[in-house]
Amino acid sequence: MESLTNAILNIGLAVVIVMVVAYFVYMFGLILVLRRMDRLTWHAFVPFLNYYSLLLAINAPKKWFGLAQIPYAGSVYVGSGAVKLGRTFHRGPAFSLTWLTIGAPVGMLVLARSKKPIDQKVMAERAHLLEIKAIRKNPPHKPKPSDSSAKKG
């Protein structure tokens, strides 16, 4: 029985260590992203306030910070913020909703290391809930004309 208890405690400790490492990787990536956007403030170094700093950087309404803390409903605000941040770095909604929410530590590092310049126009726009209209107007990946249509023209 004692070995089972020790095994459970060791697994729990390993999970906590992985979570702490993932959080520090996320925070490091967020700081690099905010620096790249020229929006780095002291909030980025404080747990919980670093998300507020991100919302300010993407020009989202300040009330989103509180609304994002609500279980279930908050995921809509978090997802909308992720899509806006992804659009700023020329990334599509699929990347944003996957790698800037669930896989945030990896996604932030990918954005920070991106070679494309930041879309200043998108960054200056006010963030909207679900960002659907903005995505339809400015799709992140415009389809390339096929070779057959190029030969006709």
Side-chain angles (χ1 to χ4, degrees), residues 40-135:
L40 185 60
T41 64
W42 66 270
H43 294 140
F45 299 95
V46 179
F48 198 66
L49 280 180
N50 55 16
Y51 184 67
Y52 180 73
S53 181
L54 177 63
L55 288 177
L56 293 179
I58 62 170
N59 204 14
K62 291 179 181 179
K63 66 182 177 182
W64 281 21
F65 178 70
L67 294 171
Q69 311 310 317
I70 300 171
Y72 303 108
S75 61
V76 173
Y77 294 95
V78 171
S80 297
V83 170
K84 172 71 187 286
L85 180 63
R87 285 183 54 234
T88 302
F89 284 87
H90 305 282
R91 299 291 179 157
F95 173 88
S96 302
L97 292 173
T98 304
W99 292 108
L100 298 178
T101 55
I102 298 166
V106 173
M108 287 295 176
L109 290 176
V110 168
L111 290 185
R113 296 186 46 82
S114 174
K115 301 294 181 198
K116 288 185 179 180
I118 294 170
D119 191 339
Q120 297 293 333
K121 180 183 169 192
V122 171
M123 193 166 82
E125 291 174 0
R126 183 88 168 153
H128 299 287
L129 200 58
L130 301 179
E131 291 284 321
I132 293 171
K133 289 181 183 177
I135 292 169

Side-chain angles (χ1 to χ4, degrees), residues 1-19:
M1 187 67 173
E2 187 176 314
S3 63
L4 179 63
T5 304
N6 284 337
I8 291 172
L9 289 175
N10 287 337
I11 291 171
L13 181 62
V15 167
V16 168
I17 290 171
V18 167
M19 298 282 288

